[in-house]
Amino acid sequence: MFAFSAINLGCSKNMVDLEFAIGEILKYSDRAEIEYVEDPEARETDYVLVNTCGFLSSARQESEETLSYYDSLGKKLILMGCYVSVKDDAFLAGLKNLVSIVPFMSYSVIEELVLGKKSKFNLSAIVKAKQAHKQSKEKTLSNYLASIEAPGKWKKAFVWRGDEVRAYMHAPFGHEYLKVAEGCDNNCTFCIIPTIRGRQTSRSMESIIQEVNVMLSQGISEIQIISQDTTRYGTDLYQEAKLIELLQKIDATIDEFVIKNKSKHTPTYRVYYLYPDILTLDHLSKLKDLKHFLPYFDIPFQHASENILKLMGRHYDRKHIDSFIEYIRDNFPNSFIRTSFIIGFPGETDADFQILLDFVNKYQFESVGIFEYHDEPLAASSKLPNKVEESIAKNRIKEITPVLNAVYDSKKQARSGKIQSGYIMDIKDTSAIIRPQMAAPEIDDYDEIALDKITGNIEIGSHVSYTL
Ligand code: SF4
């Protein structure tokens, strides 16, 4: 029996890799006894898949602590994720139960792990054979996967892509992540993701649309489009940015699905990690014509002072981002702007910070992530002069936080008494936790609503309307 569980550390992009790794294990269910166990600490859990993060030294530390903890419980460890690219071999050598390291984006080691042997066949023979049996194998496997005792919450949703299988663990909450590219061509001085994940590698439009169709057929009604730099989708594969064309294709695919299935609820999609430098007002104007695009703009500006943007290696200026935000506010009535800022970046003066304060006051963003600068030893910025004292950075965060909270409170106030819509994320005795339609899962604020104020089917993942 291969009884395994899984832990995800890090971002949604990492999570997608974990879902493929879980799918990859379950793929062998017709040749081995396999059980997915929800609780990694459970007695029956033999193997724990630890999907690590390595983006910051604090994340690497958390990854090592997690590995040490499950090692001390005697669990067989399968290591994957970003930590693998920046791993500390001495630390790993100290683990007693590390049985496998899954290299980035290649899951072939899993076969040997699950089946206990490496298939001796030569690859071309396998490919030919698989092509021949793909249809029937896919059918049998999907039927089998649908029947296994995977935890009720996600047992029915899998995709078979070429040779890979993915388990959709968010499907019952009504949404799922669609990763359209990996890696990044930018070199922001505070970031080591290009070191960990390599250069921009876009998926083909065909494979993305194929997966969109599978998601829709699995009842997923909100698709989260992610990558490191989504604006640059296609620049590697098609030698030009093809994000708008991709979104137009996804929009048409949803249209076809809705018409063919007469589905009551119209699926939507949201785009993350819009890197603002090559995005133009013309791009934005084309977004206006898309029917299923949620006017949610996730644009990590990171700062508003041009002095700091230069030191960060970010290639845009205030004139560009101001015109951007104003176009969004003027042309997308229910626009929701999500952004993030790093505070305490080397060289940040009081004047730079004041520019940032004025920026958030002026544009009243719906959701802001605030990060205290972290001197990441593997990043270029760690070599920059004029480091900001920790206490000053903390005081600046103390100063900007109430400004942001005041914006959130006034926006929440503006919603009260009005009919809202959203997805049920959890149900309590007399209330339910609802993710408002415009709020991103696991990032933005949810609402807690009394059950009698909700209209619709009160079930996890269902789309309902309610009054705040
Ligand atoms: S855009 Fe910058 S911050 Fe984002 S992944 Fe690329 S290098 Fe890192």
Side-chain angles (χ1 to χ4, degrees), residues 13 55 183-194 228-229 273 275 300 302 312-314:
K13 292 158 288 221
F55 178 44
C184 183
D185 289 348
N186 299 307
N187 290 304
C188 307
T189 57
F190 54 83
C191 177
I192 65 168
I193 289 180
Q228 308 294 354
D229 175 359
Y273 307 100
Y275 191 100
Q302 305 299 8
M312 287 178 165
R314 308 280 283 184

Side-chain angles (χ1 to χ4, degrees), residues 30 76 282 284 389 392:
D30 56 345
K76 296 187 187 96
D282 177 51
L284 292 181
E389 278 171 40
I392 292 176

Side-chain angles (χ1 to χ4, degrees), residues 130 134 138 160-165 210:
K130 280 209 172 122
K134 189 167 177 294
E138 203 168 273
W160 175 273
R161 192 181 67 187
D163 214 15
E164 295 168 328
V165 178
Q210 183 208 0

Side-chain angles (χ1 to χ4, degrees), residues 213-225:
N213 275 313
V214 169
M215 286 184 172
L216 296 172
S217 65
Q218 295 288 342
I220 288 162
S221 37
E222 192 180 293
I223 298 174
Q224 321 292 347
I225 298 172

Side-chain angles (χ1 to χ4, degrees), residues 430-449:
T430 58
S431 65
I433 305 297
I434 300 180
R435 175 172 67 84
Q437 176 85 55
M438 286 308 292
E442 298 155 299
I443 294 176
D444 302 320
D445 294 344
Y446 295 176
D447 296 327
E448 178 158 7
I449 305 296

